Amino acid sequence: MSRYLTAPKLGLLALISLYGDSVVPMRAIVPLLSFIVSFLLPPQVVARGNPPCEKGNFSTNSISGVQEATILHASGIPGRTLWDLFLKKLWGINSFDQLHVFFDSLSLLLPIDLEEARKDKDAGDLSLPSRMRFSRNSPFGVFLRRAQLEFTRLQLHDSITLWKSFILYRNPTLFAWRKRNPGSGRARYDVNLAESQVNEQEDLSLILYRDFTEADHKQAGNSMEDIEKLLEFQRDRMQTTGIRITEGMRMRLAEMIQDGTRVPALFHYVNFLDAWKCGDYPSSFENLHRFYDYTMQDRERTFYQYALLNLAILHKDFGCLSEAITAIRETISAARENKDLGCLNFSLSWLYHLSQTHPTEVDEIQKSGVLGNDRDTLVFMKAKAKESGMWGLLSTTFLSEARLGLVNGESVSLALENITKASYLGLVKNVPSIVASELRLHSTVFSRLGISCVAWSLEELFLECHLERSSAEEMLHAVSKRACAIALKGRDDLKAAEHFLSQLQANTPPDREMTFPIMVLEVNVQVRRQNYSNAIILLEKHAEELQAEDADILFRILLMTLKAQTYNQAGISQKAFSIAIRAASLAYNARLLSALWQAVRVLCQVLNSLQEFDGALKLLRAIMPQVLECEDCELAATTLSALADTHMGIAGQMLDGSTKQKEHMTRGLGYLEMAFDQYSRGNNIRGQRETLAKKATILHLNGDLVLADDCAARYLAILKTANDEVAI
C-alpha cells in the first residue's frame, strides 16, 4: 500500500494540469476549483467555506465522480467539454514511462527558480509561459510538490502497483474515449504492447500483467494517509457524539487495513472507543493498551499522560472510581513532569467535574491538597488556560465558575457575567463547542429566575440547532430535563409512580441533577400511601446526603419545601411553618424565584391549616402573577387551589348567608375552575378529581344541586377514563 499516492489522486493531478493549460472557461472555473479543493483541504475548512459545488457527495475513488463534475461544462476548445479533455489527459498516459513523464511535467505548473530564470534570460528566451503556474505554498502547489516527492520515493514494485491501479481506474472510460476520438486507433492499456504488436494472450503480456486483477486496484486505491484521515474522522465523530462505529464502516476499515503492510496505531484507538461505547470493558482496556504500546515505540513518552487520562475516563465510566482517581492523579503528575500544560489543565478540569458529581469519592484528593477548594481550582485553571491559549478550556472554566455560583446561591448577576464572558470567547476565538453548554446553563439561570418561557426557548434552541455539536452527556441531560419537565405536568398515578420508581432505583444514575427527581418521587409515593413517618425518614436521610455533599442549594430548598408540605399533611403544622419559612428565606437570598414561589405556596397552605387565612390571602395574591409567569401547570394549579381554600376558610368565619360569605365562596369557585384548567393542561388526573370534588361540595352548600351533580358526573367520567387507560 502506498503511503500517499493513489490512482484517484492521479485523476486530481490530471484535473489540476488541465486547469493549468488555461482551457477552462470563466464560467466553469469556480465549480472545477471547488470540486478539486474539496479533496485537498480538511473537511472542516471546506464545510466552513461552503463551496458552490454541493451536489453531491462527489468521490474520486471512482471516476464517475469526476465525470459528474466536468461533463456539463464546456471547455475553451470548441465542441469539447472538460470531461473530453480530462479523458485526453488520462489516455495520454499510455505507458509506465509516460507515467514518469507526467510526474516530471508537473514541475511546469510550479514557479521556476531564480537560477533557471536567469539562464533563460541569458539564453535569450523571453517567451511568456503558456501554462498557468501555482504558488508553491498554495493548496495546489503543496499538493503538486507532495505528489512529486512521494512518487520519487516509491519503490519499483509500488510504482508498478500504482500504474496497474491507474489502468483499472481509467478503464471504465474506454468506450467514451473511443467514441469521442475515433481516429485514435485501438486504445490499449499499454502502448508498448500495441506498438510491438503483442497479443494480450502472449507470454510477454502475461508476464507483465498476469496479476492484473481488482486486487491491485484495492491495494493501491487507498493510501495510508487516506486510512489515517478516515480513522481520525471516525475518532472525532465518536468522541463528539458518543455513538458507535457502524457495522459497514467497521468491515470497510478492516478490509482497507488488511490490504496494507502495517496497521495504523489509530485503528486500535478507534476500536477502544467502539468497545468503550458498547460496554465491553476487557476489549476497551486491551485496545487502549495496544494503541499506546504502538505510539510509544515511535514517540517515546510523549503520549504517556494521555494514556493515563483515557484510562481514568474509562475506569470512571465503568464505575471503578477508585481506579479512576488513581489514574487521574498519575496523569497530573506525568503532565507536570513533561510540562504538558494542555493535558494538565484538561486533567484538572476533568477532576474538578468529577468532584462535583462524586464528592464523597474525591474527598481524599481534596484532603491531600491536589485540588484545593473549588474556587482556587477554577482560578488556577483560568490562569493556566489563558497562558497557554486554550480558549476552549478557558470558556469552560467561566461556565464552571458560573455553575458553582448558582450551586452555592451566590449572585445571579455574577453568574450571567461569567456566561457572557464564555460566550464572547466562543465567538471571538471560534470555539463552537462551547455554544451548547452556554445555552444549557443560560436556560438553567432563567429557569431559576422563574422566567420559564425564555428557559424553554433556549432549551428548544439547543435541541434543534446544537445537538450535533454537543457531547452525549449533554444530550442526555437536555433530554432528561425536558422529559422531567413534561412528566411533572403529567399524570399523578400511584401505580405508575411505583412502577417507574422501581425501575429507576434499579440503575440509579450518579449525577445528582438526575437523581433528585427520583428522590422526590420516592417521597411522594410514601405520602400518597399516607405513610408519613416513612416519608419523613426518607426526607431526613436525603437532607443529610445533600448536606454532606454540599449539593446544589436549589435541591436543598426544594427538599425543605417538600418536607414542610409532608409535615403539614401529617397534621404537624407548626413544625411545617418553621421549615417553610426557612425555605422561603433561603430561596429569596439566592434569588431562586421558582423555588421561592413553591415555598410561599406551601407556607400559605400551612397558614390555612393554622386558620390564618388573612395572611395566606395576602401572600397568595402577591405571588400569583409571578406564579403564572413561570408557566408551570402544577405550581399554578396548586397555588390556585390554595387560594380557593383560603377564600373558603374566610367564608367559613363569616355569618351564614351574608353577602361577604357568598362573595368569597364565588371567588373560591372561580379559582377552582382555573385550577381545574391548569390540571387539565398538565393532564393531572388526581388534581382534576380533587378540584371537582371541592367544587361539587361548594355548589352543594350553595344549594346548586344541578351543578353539583354535573361536577360529580364529570368526576366519575374522568375516573372511568383513567381506569380504562390503566387497564389498557
Side-chain angles (χ1 to χ4, degrees), residues 37-56:
V37 167
S38 64
F39 297 101
L40 301 184
L41 297 181
Q44 58 271 23
V45 177
V46 176
R48 196 184 312 132
N50 194 15
C53 183
E54 296 191 8
K55 274 187 185 179

Side-chain angles (χ1 to χ4, degrees), residues 558-569:
L558 293 178
L559 200 64
M560 290 175 62
T561 304
L562 182 60
K563 187 176 180 181
Q565 184 175 351
T566 305
Y567 272 114
N568 185 48
Q569 292 179 0

Side-chain angles (χ1 to χ4, degrees), residues 520-654:
V520 174
L521 180 61
E522 186 178 6
V523 174
N524 284 333
V525 167
Q526 296 298 326
V527 172
R528 288 290 309 281
R529 292 173 177 170
Q530 296 184 353
N531 294 331
Y532 298 113
S533 57
N534 292 340
I536 292 174
I537 292 174
L538 286 174
L539 286 168
E540 294 289 348
K541 172 187 173 184
H542 294 323
E544 292 177 359
E545 292 176 357
L546 295 178
Q547 188 68 29
E549 296 176 2
D550 196 16
D552 193 340
I553 189 172
L554 175 64
F555 297 151
R556 286 182 277 172
I557 292 174
L558 293 178
L559 200 64
M560 290 175 62
T561 304
L562 182 60
K563 187 176 180 181
Q565 184 175 351
T566 305
Y567 272 114
N568 185 48
Q569 292 179 0
I572 314 175
S573 300
Q574 293 181 348
K575 192 167 185 177
F577 178 80
S578 61
I579 296 174
I581 287 288
R582 287 172 52 200
S585 177
L586 287 174
Y588 176 78
N589 293 331
R591 297 298 186 270
L592 300 175
L593 300 186
S594 60
L596 175 61
W597 312 142
Q598 294 187 41
V600 173
R601 185 257 304 168
V602 173
L603 177 60
C604 292
Q605 290 176 340
V606 174
L607 290 175
N608 287 336
S609 300
L610 297 174
Q611 297 186 358
E612 296 291 338
F613 302 112
D614 292 334
L617 182 61
K618 292 179 181 179
L619 286 174
L620 288 171
R621 283 179 174 176
I623 69 170
M624 201 64 237
Q626 289 80 6
V627 168
L628 294 176
E629 287 180 359
C630 289
E631 296 184 356
D632 187 339
C633 296
E634 189 70 20
L635 176 60
T638 52
T639 307
L640 288 168
S641 180
L643 191 55
D645 294 341
T646 303
H647 279 287
M648 289 303 299
I650 296 174
Q653 294 177 346
M654 295 182 176

Side-chain angles (χ1 to χ4, degrees), residues 28-218:
I29 287 179
V30 174
L32 180 64
L33 293 183
S34 300
F35 175 75
I36 299 174
V37 167
S38 64
F39 297 101
L40 301 184
L41 297 181
Q44 58 271 23
V45 177
V46 176
R48 196 184 312 132
N50 194 15
C53 183
E54 296 191 8
K55 274 187 185 179
N57 301 314
F58 290 122
S59 172
T60 53
N61 288 333
S62 64
I63 204 168
S64 59
V66 183
Q67 180 180 4
E68 293 179 22
T70 57
I71 196 170
L72 298 178
H73 298 289
S75 67
I77 300 177
R80 296 290 178 176
T81 63
L82 293 180
W83 170 247
D84 296 329
L85 300 184
F86 175 71
L87 291 182
K88 184 178 180 181
K89 284 281 184 183
L90 292 187
W91 287 96
I93 308 174
N94 51 18
S95 66
F96 188 55
D97 178 66
Q98 283 296 320
L99 182 64
H100 287 75
V101 173
F102 173 75
F103 275 97
D104 292 338
S105 66
L106 297 179
S107 301
L108 300 176
L109 297 172
L110 298 172
I112 58 176
D113 298 333
L114 294 177
E115 295 182 1
E116 295 180 2
R118 191 179 299 110
K119 290 179 181 179
D120 293 340
K121 184 177 180 180
D122 295 340
D125 185 8
L126 300 179
S127 60
L128 295 175
S130 59
R131 307 188 71 183
M132 187 183 302
R133 295 182 182 270
F134 305 103
S135 172
R136 293 181 178 272
N137 294 327
S138 65
F140 284 3
V142 172
F143 179 59
L144 292 172
R145 292 189 293 117
R146 175 78 185 276
Q148 278 189 313
L149 178 63
E150 293 293 339
F151 186 74
T152 57
R153 287 179 174 178
L154 287 179
Q155 300 292 329
L156 178 61
H157 172 74
D158 295 330
S159 300
I160 295 175
T161 303
L162 177 63
W163 162 243
K164 293 179 180 179
S165 177
F166 174 70
I167 293 175
L168 290 174
Y169 170 77
R170 181 187 60 183
N171 194 53
T173 65
L174 177 60
F175 178 76
W177 167 249
R178 287 178 176 175
K179 182 178 180 181
R180 298 294 290 172
N181 299 272
S184 61
R186 187 187 176 199
R188 297 282 296 272
Y189 48 82
D190 192 337
V191 71
N192 294 315
L193 297 179
E195 292 178 354
S196 302
Q197 297 182 354
V198 176
N199 194 318
E200 295 182 0
Q201 301 300 325
E202 294 185 8
D203 294 339
L204 180 60
S205 177
L206 293 176
I207 291 173
L208 293 175
Y209 297 102
R210 65 175 180 270
D211 55 348
F212 191 31
T213 61
E214 288 290 335
D216 295 308
H217 183 53
K218 288 183 179 180

